[in-house]
């Protein structure tokens, strides 16, 4: 068995019709942990782990016609579970249909780092995996991050990092702090985060420590 990590860029027609701009919604990461599609009702039930603004997500969910039920369960100030029942849209069926192939299995979690950016791991036979890319609609951007024997373990990051730590990680990456060679200094990252260099350093070192522990399954 092999597996592959893919990053998908969804076109607007496949994105959830959320009226709130991303900057105001403040969702840093959503990990879709479990889901079930009911063919009779044409609805999907799912459980996600989210890092972001719980109140903003609640207000947004109320305004979505496709959502029939939802419940948010806080873990701490920035992290919460979200259970929802919503309609399966034609766009959802198109996306999920790409994976509906004998010999393929989606490995949870499916990770959203924006309403258009989705990261998935797919396990399967070599022949099934090799034809996967061609099954996506042409307007979905697909980037293959890895193809190898499936030997890795998965553990959620959302439960280990706070929203502020996610923000620091995202800010540092966008600034070029993790480029090789590095194109942004710690001072520049601190300025973007509106904090001291010491605080920025602590945030990034904490993030890096959690990433290492997760990779090594500690």
């Amino acid at each position: 068995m092999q597996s592959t990590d893919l990053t998908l860029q969804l076109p607007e027609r496949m994105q959830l019709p959320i009226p709130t701009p991303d900057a105001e919604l403040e969702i840093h990461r959503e990990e879709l942990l479990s889901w079930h599609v009911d063919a009779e009702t044409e609805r999907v039930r799912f459980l996600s782990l989210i890092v972001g603004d719980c109140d903003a997500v609640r207000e947004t969910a109320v305004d979505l016609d496709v959502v029939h039920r939802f419940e948010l369960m806080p873990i701490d100030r920035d992290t919460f579970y979200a259970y929802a029942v919503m309609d399966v849209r034609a766009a959802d069926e198109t996306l999920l249909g790409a994976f509906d192939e004998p010999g393929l299995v989606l490995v949870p979690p499916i990770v959203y780092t924006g309403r258009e950016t989705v990261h998935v791991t797919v396990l399967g036979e070599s022949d099934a995996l090799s034809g996967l890319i061609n099954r996506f609609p042409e307007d979905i951007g697909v980037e293959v991050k890895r193809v190898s024997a499936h030997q890795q373990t998965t553990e959620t990051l959302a439960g280990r990092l706070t929203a502020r730590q996610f923000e620091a990680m995202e800010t540092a990456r966008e600034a070029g702090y993790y480029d090789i060679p590095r194109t942004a200094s710690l001072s520049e990252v601190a300025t973007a985060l509106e904090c001291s260099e010491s605080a920025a350093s602590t945030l990034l070192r904490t993030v890096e420590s959690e990433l290492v522990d997760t990779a090594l399954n500690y």
Side-chain angles (χ1 to χ4, degrees):
M1 279 285 187
Q2 287 191 315
S3 68
T4 182
D5 294 332
L6 305 176
T7 295
L8 309 179
Q9 296 295 330
L10 302 182
E12 187 173 354
R13 69 182 180 88
M14 287 189 169
Q15 298 170 26
L16 196 61
I18 298 174
T20 308
D22 286 345
E24 295 179 16
L25 189 55
E26 293 186 1
I27 293 180
H28 296 274
R29 182 183 180 94
E30 177 182 0
E31 297 183 356
L32 182 57
L33 304 176
S34 180
W35 62 92
H36 173 72
V37 177
D38 189 326
E40 291 186 6
T41 62
E42 296 185 337
R43 292 179 179 176
V44 58
R45 302 192 302 271
F46 65 86
L47 178 70
S48 290
L49 184 60
I50 299 175
V51 174
D53 187 328
C54 187
D55 291 335
V57 171
R58 181 180 290 106
E59 292 173 5
T60 298
V62 169
D63 294 332
L64 292 176
D65 294 336
V66 295
V67 176
H68 298 279
R69 178 187 172 190
F70 71 94
E71 184 176 351
L72 305 182
M73 297 153 279
I75 298 173
D76 55 32
R77 185 173 63 87
D78 302 312
T79 310
F80 54 95
Y81 286 107
Y83 171 79
V85 179
M86 60 184 293
D87 292 330
V88 178
R89 304 170 301 150
D92 301 324
E93 291 181 334
T94 300
L95 178 60
L96 292 174
F99 304 101
D100 189 14
E101 183 76 10
L104 292 181
V105 177
L106 275 170
V107 182
I110 296 175
V111 179
Y112 290 79
T113 52
R115 73 181 72 187
E116 76 285 349
T117 306
V118 187
H119 310 274
V120 298
T121 296
V122 187
L123 174 70
E125 303 289 348
S126 297
D127 291 345
L129 284 175
S130 63
L132 176 59
I133 303 301
N134 295 328
R135 288 194 290 275
F136 290 110
E138 291 185 357
D139 56 351
I140 293 182
V142 183
E143 182 179 359
V144 179
K145 295 291 189 178
R146 176 193 60 83
V147 178
S148 65
H150 191 72
Q151 297 175 329
Q152 63 193 81
T153 59
T154 59
E155 179 181 349
T156 177
L157 275 177
R160 304 183 70 152
L161 298 181
T162 67
R164 181 60 168 168
Q165 289 164 354
F166 267 107
E167 180 187 8
M169 177 173 60
E170 292 167 346
T171 299
R173 184 181 184 280
E174 291 172 1
Y177 184 77
Y178 291 115
D179 287 353
I180 300 175
R182 182 170 288 170
T183 58
S185 66
L186 179 61
S187 175
E188 290 171 316
V189 174
T191 298
L193 290 170
E194 298 182 349
C195 66
S196 67
E197 286 191 40
S198 175
S201 176
T202 298
L203 283 167
L204 294 179
R205 288 175 64 85
T206 301
V207 167
E208 291 158 8
S209 175
E210 292 294 352
L211 290 173
V212 169
D213 284 352
T214 299
L216 298 177
N217 201 29
Y218 280 98

